[in-house]
Amino acid sequence: NAGVMQNPRHLVRRRGQEARLRCSPMKGHSHVYWYRQLPEEGLKFMVYLQKENIIDESGMPKERFSAEFPKEGPSILRIQQVVRGDSAAYFCASSPTGQPNEQFFGPGTRLTVL
Amino acid sequence: DQQVKQNSPSLSVQEGRISILNCDYTNSMFDYFLWYKKYPAEGPTFLISISSIKDKNEDGRFTVFLNKSAKHLSLHIVPSQPGDSAVYFCAASGSTTSGTYKYIFGTGTRLKVLA
């Protein structure tokens, strides 16, 4: 029973490029959450998705950031025109339901913007 | 506005002794609380949770206490082991206006258990 998978584990981009982060939830999980952890800070909620739907994007910056969870394939967090302040660890979590059960986290993608 | 606070960024404890990690929250609508442990370069792993209808939950060496009136919870680890050295995050959850749940995390406490 594979856990939550994220790729790539490390991503380096230059300012102005696009970053695409992928998350495959655990088998049977249809709820996906994205979090960002800036250096020396806790995890900050970004967005909550179910298959083909964005349920809560209250933590997403209004510009340059988007997320999707298509019917087939992984969830994608896309950051356009990256800036140095986007450098962080991005974690994906999945849950079997939308209830407050524990969320299972992936290993994270560490994004470095040069 | 930090709704979940872990005021101790770090804690050192001798092996075999008790570790107590604290967490305070401000939103009285939170009704479910969790503790996660995180090692470097890994994702957080679930440790233990507690619903607001309880004031204590125990799982092996880990016990979480909830004091709703003080909006405070704590994680006790006894006896502490060197393998417990990690960053511990407290998280709180409550239903949003749309009926969904999301977690609000504290900033973490780095626990170091000394052999």
Side-chain angles (χ1 to χ4, degrees), chain A residues 9 55 58 100-103 106, chain B residues 32 36 41 43 46 100 102-103:
Chain A
R9 292 294 309 275
I55 307 301
S58 58
N101 303 310
E102 61 269 22
Q103 295 174 4
Chain B
Y32 198 79
Y36 280 83
F46 170 76
T100 61
K102 63 185 181 187
Y103 292 174

Side-chain angles (χ1 to χ4, degrees), chain A residues 28-49:
Chain A
H29 289 195
S30 59
H31 300 255
V32 165
Y33 307 79
W34 285 93
Y35 294 85
R36 176 166 67 175
Q37 184 182 23
L38 295 170
E40 305 302 322
E41 293 189 13
L43 286 79
K44 293 279 200 294
F45 168 81
M46 298 181 75
V47 62
Y48 162 34
L49 310 104

Side-chain angles (χ1 to χ4, degrees), chain A residues 3-6 26 33-35 43 91-94 102-108, chain B residues 36 42-46 103 105:
Chain A
V4 178
M5 312 281 281
Q6 287 188 252
M26 287 180 69
Y33 307 79
W34 285 93
Y35 294 85
L43 286 79
F91 292 96
C92 163
S94 74
E102 61 269 22
Q103 295 174 4
F104 296 86
F105 281 82
Chain B
Y36 280 83
E42 294 184 12
T45 54
F46 170 76
Y103 292 174
F105 280 84

Side-chain angles (χ1 to χ4, degrees), chain A residues 26-79:
Chain A
M26 287 180 69
K27 187 176 181 180
H29 289 195
S30 59
H31 300 255
V32 165
Y33 307 79
W34 285 93
Y35 294 85
R36 176 166 67 175
Q37 184 182 23
L38 295 170
E40 305 302 322
E41 293 189 13
L43 286 79
K44 293 279 200 294
F45 168 81
M46 298 181 75
V47 62
Y48 162 34
L49 310 104
Q50 283 182 264
K51 284 285 188 182
E52 300 184 273
N53 287 306
I54 295 174
I55 307 301
D56 184 339
E57 57 181 347
S58 58
M60 286 274 274
K62 294 287 186 283
E63 297 176 350
R64 302 188 297 108
F65 285 72
S66 62
E68 62 178 12
F69 189 14
K71 188 177 179 181
E72 301 290 337
S75 175
I76 307 284
L77 179 68
R78 183 183 291 110
I79 312 172

